[in-house]
Amino acid sequence: MRSFGHDIRIAVRTLTRTPAFTLLAILTMALGIGATTAIFSVVNGALLQRLPYAHDGRLIRLRQPSTNQADEGFSVPEVAEYRAQVSDFAAVAEYHSMAFQLYGRGEPQRVQTGVVSDDFFSMLGVQPLLGRLFRPGEDAVGAPPVVVLSYRYWVDRMGADPTVVGQTFTMNDKVHTIVGVLPPLPVYPDRNDIWMPAGACPFRSAPAMMHDQAGRMLMAFALLKPGVSLARARSDLTLVDQRIHAAYPAAYPAASGFGIRAASLHEELTRGSRPLFLTLLATAGFVLVVAAANFANLMLARQLRRRQEVALRAALGAGRGRIFRQLAAESLCITLPGGVLGVLIALSGMGLLRTFAARVTPRAGEIGIDPVVLAVALGLSVVVGMAAALAPLMRAQPSLNHALREGSTATTAGRRAGRGRDLLVAAQVALAFVLLIGAGLMVRSLVMLQRADAGYQAGGVLTARVDLNFTRYNSSARVHDFARQLLARLAGQRDVLSVALTSDFPLNDAQPSAQPFEI
C-alpha cells in the first residue's frame, strides 16, 4: 500500500506537467461516467429497488380483461366475492379515484380523492407520518367521515402543518375529519391529494352500485398469504372466477370474454417503463464505451511519447507488473476525479430526469443518487482506469536501444505500435455511427409524429374541467339542468364561437368507460 501511494504521488506530479491532457482526459471520463450514472440512477430507482411497502413481494394487482378492454375493473359485489372465496389471499382491497370539491379553507378546492377499503393501507404495510390510517369498519356506509392526506398535498396545500390531525373541512356536504398524513409514496394508482374510506363516496355507496354485479368501477389489489406463490394464487383465483361466472351468468356474457389476471405489484409499476429505461441504459453504455475508448487512445498516445522512460524502467529491472502499477496509478488519477465530476453532472440533472421519468412511471420520486448508484460510478471509474492502463502493455515492450534510436529520430510509431490505436479509433467510429443512426431515427420519428394529422384542429380550443358535487347533483335531471345553464352562459361570452360538454375528449389517456354513453 505504501508503494502504491508512492506511485500515486509520482502520477500526480507527472499529470500536472501536462495540464491540457489531464483536463481533457478527466472531462472525457466525466461525460461518459456521468451519462451512465444518471441513467443507472433512473433504472435503479424505478426498476431495481424494492417497493416502499412492507409487503412488497406479496402484493398483486388484479385485472378483469374482456374482448373490448384490458381491464374492465371490478364491481363492489365482485370484490366481496374474491375477498370471501380466494383462500390464498390474506386481504383484498378496493380502490377508485374521483374528484371532489373541498370547502372550508378559503376558495373551494378540487381535490383528487383516492377511495379505498379500510384495509388498503394496512395491506400495503404503510405507516402514517402523522396521526393514523383507516380503522376496520370506517369504510361502512354511514360511518363518521374521515380522510387521510397525501404527503404532497400536506406539504403543498397545508404548509406541512404538524397540527393538521383533527382539523376538519366540508366535502360532499359532510364534515370530514383529518386523521392522518401519509409518508412519501409512489404516485400510484393515481396522483391523489387525499384518501377517504369507500363508504364515504356518494357514487360508490349508492344502493344501485353496491348491489350491481356488473357495476364495474373499482381496481382490486390483493395480499398473498405467507408462503403462497403467485402461480398457486392464480390457479385458485381462476377457480373462484369460474364459480362467480356460473352464479351470475347475466353479468358475464359469453361474447364479452371476461377473464381474470393477477400480476405482482412490482411488475405492474415497472412494466410500462422497463423497455424505455433499459434502452436508455444501453445507449448510455455506448456513450461510456466511446469515452473509454477515447481515453485509452489518449493514454496510448501518451505512452508512445514515453517509450524511452518505460524501456529504461524495464532495463533497470522493473517487471511488467511494476510498470502496470505505475500506469494504473496514472490512469486512476484521471478516471476517479472524472467519476466524481460525472456524479456531480448526474446530480445536477436529477430534477430533469425525475420530470421525464414521471411521464412513464409512478416511481419517479424514488430516483436519486444513493449508495448503490455511487458504488456503480466508483466501479466504472476503477474498471475503465484499469482497462486503459492495460492497453499500453498489450504490445511487446521495446528494447532500450530500439527505444533510444526511435526517440532520437523523433519519428512516428511503427506499424505495430499504431495498430492498437487504429483498433480503438475504429471502435470509436463504429459506436459513434450506431449512436448517430439511432439519434437520427429518433429525430425522424418525432418529426413524423408532429406532422401526423390527428383528425381534428386543436388551435384556439380551450378546455376546462368541471367536477360536480355528487351529493347535490345526484340525478340525471339535475346534471342536465346544470349543463344547460352552463352552456347558455358560456355561449353568451364575447369571443366564444361555440361551446360543448363531454365526459371525455380525444387522446386524454383515460381508461375507456364501461358505462353506456348518454347524449
Side-chain angles (χ1 to χ4, degrees):
M1 184 61 67
R2 182 180 302 174
S3 177
F4 188 70
H6 178 69
D7 292 336
I8 291 291
R9 289 192 294 272
I10 294 177
V12 171
R13 286 200 300 267
T14 303
L15 291 172
T16 54
R17 294 175 191 154
T18 54
F21 164 82
T22 304
L23 181 61
L24 176 62
I26 290 176
L27 288 177
T28 298
M29 293 312 306
L31 292 175
I33 294 176
T36 307
T37 301
I39 300 302
F40 178 76
S41 70
V42 175
V43 173
N44 179 60
L47 303 182
L48 301 182
Q49 286 187 0
R50 294 180 69 253
L51 298 179
Y53 304 129
H55 305 141
D56 173 28
R58 296 161 50 202
L59 293 170
I60 63 174
R61 161 80 187 277
L62 303 180
R63 291 180 181 271
Q64 185 164 217
S66 69
T67 54
N68 298 322
Q69 298 188 45
D71 184 18
E72 292 276 357
F74 296 89
S75 64
V76 176
E78 283 175 333
V79 172
E81 295 277 5
Y82 293 126
R83 186 180 288 128
Q85 296 191 43
V86 183
S87 59
D88 288 329
F89 289 164
V92 177
E94 66 173 76
Y95 164 88
H96 74 278
S97 182
M98 302 190 74
F100 295 118
Q101 301 298 327
L102 185 152
Y103 303 95
R105 292 184 174 274
E107 289 291 325
Q109 302 175 23
R110 177 193 294 118
V111 288
Q112 194 65 32
T113 306
V115 184
V116 296
S117 50
D118 55 22
D119 58 349
F120 182 80
F121 292 116
S122 61
M123 185 187 74
L124 296 177
V126 172
Q127 297 298 320
L129 184 67
L130 294 176
R132 65 172 178 85
L133 301 178
F134 301 136
R135 292 171 177 167
E138 285 189 326
D139 62 351
V141 178
V146 295
V147 295
V148 170
L149 305 182
S150 71
Y151 179 82
R152 178 182 56 85
Y153 184 83
W154 175 64
V155 172
D156 296 345
R157 304 300 293 269
M158 309 292 285
D161 181 4
T163 65
V164 72
V165 175
Q167 296 182 23
T168 62
F169 53 75
T170 302
M171 187 169 63
N172 300 321
D173 292 342
K174 295 180 180 179
V175 177
H176 290 67
T177 303
I178 301 172
V179 296
V181 176
L182 290 172
L185 294 172
V187 184
Y188 182 81
D190 297 291
R191 193 177 182 86
N192 293 308
D193 299 311
I194 66 175
W195 299 75
M196 67 162 54
C201 174
F203 190 69
R204 184 265 185 199
S205 60
M209 192 61 64
M210 291 280 291
H211 302 97
D212 185 3
Q213 189 76 20
R216 301 178 178 96
M217 59 171 291
L218 308 175
M219 295 172 61
F221 299 87
L223 176 67
L224 298 175
K225 290 182 177 179
V228 174
S229 67
L230 181 57
R232 173 179 157 182
R234 283 171 175 162
S235 178
D236 191 8
L237 186 62
T238 300
L239 293 176
V240 172
D241 192 57
Q242 291 172 352
R243 290 200 297 266
I244 296 175
H245 287 195
Y248 305 95
Y252 307 94
S256 297
F258 281 94
I260 191 72
R261 299 285 185 273
S264 71
L265 189 58
H266 189 279
E267 174 65 21
E268 178 74 19
L269 266 65
T270 59
R271 177 178 51 194
S273 59
R274 187 180 300 274
L276 173 62
F277 290 162
L278 293 182
T279 300
L280 290 177
L281 184 62
T283 304
F286 275 127
V287 174
L288 177 63
V289 172
V290 171
N294 193 21
F295 174 60
N297 214 352
L298 290 173
M299 292 296 290
L300 270 178
R302 178 181 175 84
Q303 290 308 119
L304 287 174
R305 294 195 298 269
R306 299 172 61 193
R307 289 164 63 85
Q308 298 177 31
E309 176 188 338
V310 174
L312 182 60
R313 285 171 180 254
L316 293 176
R320 294 177 71 88
R322 182 66 184 83
I323 295 174
F324 169 73
R325 195 169 66 192
Q326 182 59 49
L327 294 176
E330 293 184 14
S331 186
L332 290 176
C333 283
I334 293 174
T335 58
L336 289 177
V340 172
L341 183 57
V343 170
L344 294 178
I345 292 174
L347 191 61
S348 66
M350 202 53 55
L352 184 62
L353 281 174
R354 291 194 189 100
T355 301
F356 164 74
R359 297 176 176 269
V360 292
T361 176
R363 304 192 68 186
E366 299 174 64
I367 296 172
I369 305 296
D370 61 7
V372 174
V373 176
L374 290 176
V376 169
L378 175 62
L380 290 175
S381 303
V382 172
V383 169
V384 172
M386 291 299 186
L390 278 173
L393 296 180
M394 299 302 291
R395 53 188 177 85
Q397 297 298 323
S399 64
L400 180 59
N401 289 334
H402 179 73
L404 292 175
R405 285 200 308 272
E406 191 177 65
S408 64
T409 57
T411 60
T412 59
R415 182 181 306 170
R416 190 168 190 175
R419 191 174 299 165
R421 289 185 299 162
D422 293 341
L423 182 61
L424 287 172
V425 170
Q428 284 179 272
V429 172
L431 291 171
F433 263 106
V434 171
L435 293 174
L436 286 174
I437 291 171
L441 291 174
M442 181 66 71
V443 172
R444 180 173 177 269
S445 299
L446 290 174
V447 171
M448 292 179 65
L449 285 174
Q450 289 181 340
R451 292 178 177 176
D453 184 8
Y456 60 89
Q457 296 295 326
V461 178
L462 175 67
T463 64
R465 177 172 169 175
V466 180
D467 297 301
L468 300 178
N469 186 324
F470 288 99
T471 304
R472 198 169 298 172
Y473 295 91
N474 55 2
S475 67
S476 295
R478 290 190 175 186
V479 173
H480 292 167
D481 184 61
F482 172 85
R484 283 191 294 268
Q485 293 185 47
L486 180 62
L487 288 174
R489 295 182 64 178
L490 291 177
Q493 297 295 312
R494 188 178 61 180
D495 298 330
V496 173
L497 298 179
S498 63
V499 61
L501 292 177
T502 179
S503 59
D504 293 298
F505 57 91
L507 304 180
N508 69 338
D509 197 29
Q511 181 77 3
S513 175
Q515 302 298 322
F517 73 87
E518 184 177 12
I519 299 175

